[in-house]
Amino acid sequence: MEKNKPQVNLLIPLYNEEEVYDKLIERLTNVIEKTTLDVSVILVDDGSKDKTPFFMRETALKDERFSAVFLSRNFGHQLALTAGLTCINATEAVLILDGDLQDPPELLDKFYAYYKEGYDVVYAERSSNAEKSFKRLTSRWFYQLFDRMTETKIPLNTGDFALISRRVADILNQMPEERRFIRGMRSWVGFKQKGIFFDRPQREYGETKYPLTKMLRLALDGIFSFSEVPIKLIINLGILAVLSSFIFLTITLYRKFYLDVVGEGFTALIFAITLFGGVQLISIGVLGEYIVRIFFQVKERPLFIIESRIEKQKEINGQEIL
Ligand code: UDP
Ligand code: MG
């Protein structure tokens, strides 16, 4: 890296992205050549099964502006980012973006201008979103729900696409939580934060690596890692159930002693049993979600395993890293 230019890392997780890879490197190289910043790119291979790691190796060995981090298996997008954040070397800031070009790297200078104005976090808000309507709708619902349930405010229509200052990156690296929801953690950190709008294009190459199940898991991690509202809901539900059963008891006794009618109510009984059985199971499930998180957290396993790295065109293998 050159000394006189401000240093910025671009951090990009890649999972089976061979289709977009060449295009990505071309766009990145263009950005690096145009900007006045000293950019170095960190590509993280999240255990890809296609040719992505092979291509990454080639790029990093021939161009010192690119370094490559190889994880030992697929750890998921959030942990791939977490791993990449531990490998940063830029003094000023880190731009986090997806590798599928849905987060245009050309916005770097715009992000950086706000950073220079004193913002520690500059995040991208999607003013329009070419994503399929199902994904758009479910993500809007999720952010509205998240907003109601947590005190950490994350702006609607954002992802992990953001420029964060070196000090925010260092703080994220000190947060040991296991189920990571980086866009939430980034908001939680505080400092001056600023959103800039951009039109999010559709994914042009390859398929989404976030199928419904992974999306749901990320959403649950967001809620259960940032909110105690589900537990509070259980208590309220319990109070409601106790109250309604007392009201029902009073009505039944009144009918028996004053009106001399004994209800038959077999259907009502079955309904009540199954209803409260269901409520109890759901409540246990909610508790379980928190307990599972405690369970994995107390193990204190490493969050990810870096198998090897290529930096400044040199290979560093896992033993030296661990
Ligand atoms: N990704 C990853 N590990 C995974 C899934 C995805 O590193 O297990 C990367 C992927 O290669 C991409 C980014 O995370 O660079 C975002 O994924 P994708 O574009 O598929 O998500 P979407 O835009 O559909 O939400
Ligand atoms: Mg994408």
Side-chain angles (χ1 to χ4, degrees):
M1 288 193 148
E2 297 167 42
K3 279 220 172 64
N4 44 358
K5 289 186 186 172
Q7 299 174 352
V8 175
N9 282 129
L10 304 195
L11 174 55
I12 307 172
L14 296 173
Y15 178 54
N16 295 341
E17 299 287 9
E18 62 182 10
E19 278 135 302
V20 66
Y21 189 85
D22 285 344
K23 197 80 194 145
L24 173 68
I25 299 303
E26 191 190 312
R27 294 259 300 262
L28 289 171
T29 312
N30 258 327
V31 169
I32 297 173
E33 269 151 26
K34 285 214 184 91
T35 180
T36 54
L37 302 166
D38 179 6
V39 175
S40 118
V41 180
I42 302 171
L43 303 170
V44 182
D45 166 47
D46 188 14
S48 300
K49 289 167 193 77
D50 66 357
K51 295 210 188 74
T52 308
F54 174 79
F55 293 154
M56 278 170 56
R57 185 169 298 274
E58 249 183 8
T59 311
L61 284 177
K62 78 164 185 256
D63 189 337
E64 67 163 0
R65 297 168 300 183
F66 289 83
S67 55
V69 179
F70 302 94
L71 301 187
S72 64
R73 63 169 169 85
N74 179 245
F75 281 88
H77 176 219
Q78 301 289 298
L79 291 179
L81 282 179
T82 305
L85 277 175
T86 64
C87 300
I88 56 174
N89 54 6
T91 48
E92 297 291 328
V94 184
L95 179 70
I96 295 173
L97 63 158
D98 286 355
D100 59 354
L101 294 172
Q102 282 191 288
D103 300 340
E106 291 77 13
L107 289 174
L108 171 66
D109 286 328
K110 202 169 160 196
F111 277 97
Y112 193 79
Y114 281 107
Y115 165 80
K116 278 314 269 183
E117 278 181 25
Y119 292 98
D120 272 80
V121 174
V122 188
Y123 55 83
E125 277 180 275
R126 301 160 187 177
S127 49
S128 79
N129 191 341
E131 209 73 74
K132 295 201 180 68
S133 56
F134 174 76
K135 190 153 184 163
R136 227 174 34 224
L137 200 68
T138 46
S139 104
R140 203 172 61 222
W141 285 341
F142 166 72
Y143 285 112
Q144 281 168 353
L145 189 71
F146 187 89
D147 192 56
R148 287 190 177 188
M149 290 182 117
T150 62
E151 274 156 31
T152 306
K153 293 294 162 232
I154 46 174
L156 291 174
N157 293 319
T158 58
D160 290 323
F161 186 24
L163 181 110
I164 58 176
S165 64
R166 174 69 199 236
R167 69 172 170 180
V168 167
D170 289 340
I171 293 167
L172 289 178
N173 280 339
Q174 280 166 28
M175 290 167 75
E177 64 196 79
E178 207 248 353
R179 298 297 165 102
R180 295 173 98 77
F181 185 61
I182 292 175
R183 58 203 75 164
M185 293 162 68
R186 179 190 80 204
S187 297
W188 177 89
V189 166
F191 299 118
K192 275 172 78 182
Q193 308 213 352
K194 167 91 186 163
I196 59 170
F197 285 100
F198 82 116
D199 294 317
R200 188 165 216 241
Q202 237 172 346
R203 190 192 247 273
E204 278 184 51
Y205 311 85
E207 294 275 290
T208 175
K209 306 301 176 309
Y210 259 98
L212 192 61
T213 45
K214 273 194 190 171
M215 247 165 64
L216 206 64
R217 199 178 324 145
L218 183 68
L220 288 178
D221 281 341
I223 298 222
F224 286 105
S225 303
F226 279 86
S227 171
E228 50 181 18
V229 169
I231 292 273
K232 299 245 163 79
L233 275 179
I234 295 183
I235 300 175
N236 292 340
L237 216 61
I239 294 172
L240 204 72
V242 171
L243 277 181
S244 52
S245 74
F246 271 112
I247 293 171
F248 190 68
L249 181 72
T250 317
I251 295 172
T252 316
L253 290 178
Y254 176 81
R255 276 162 44 106
K256 179 170 163 56
F257 291 116
Y258 292 93
L259 309 177
D260 205 24
V261 260
V262 181
E264 290 193 353
F266 177 72
T267 317
L269 199 64
I270 295 293
F271 172 70
I273 291 173
T274 51
L275 175 71
F276 289 112
V279 167
Q280 282 170 9
L281 285 180
I282 292 171
S283 307
I284 295 172
V286 169
L287 287 180
E289 287 293 332
Y290 288 97
I291 294 172
V292 155
R293 281 166 177 76
I294 300 169
F295 171 70
F296 283 113
Q297 190 69 46
V298 295
K299 283 180 192 247
E300 290 188 43
R301 281 193 187 158
L303 301 180
F304 51 82
I305 296 166
I306 295 177
E307 188 176 329
S308 65
R309 275 169 69 180
I310 302 175
E311 209 180 282
K312 298 207 167 55
Q313 292 165 295
K314 275 209 203 64
E315 297 216 33
I316 315 166
N317 73 29
Q319 259 78 44
E320 291 166 57
I321 298 160
L322 297 170

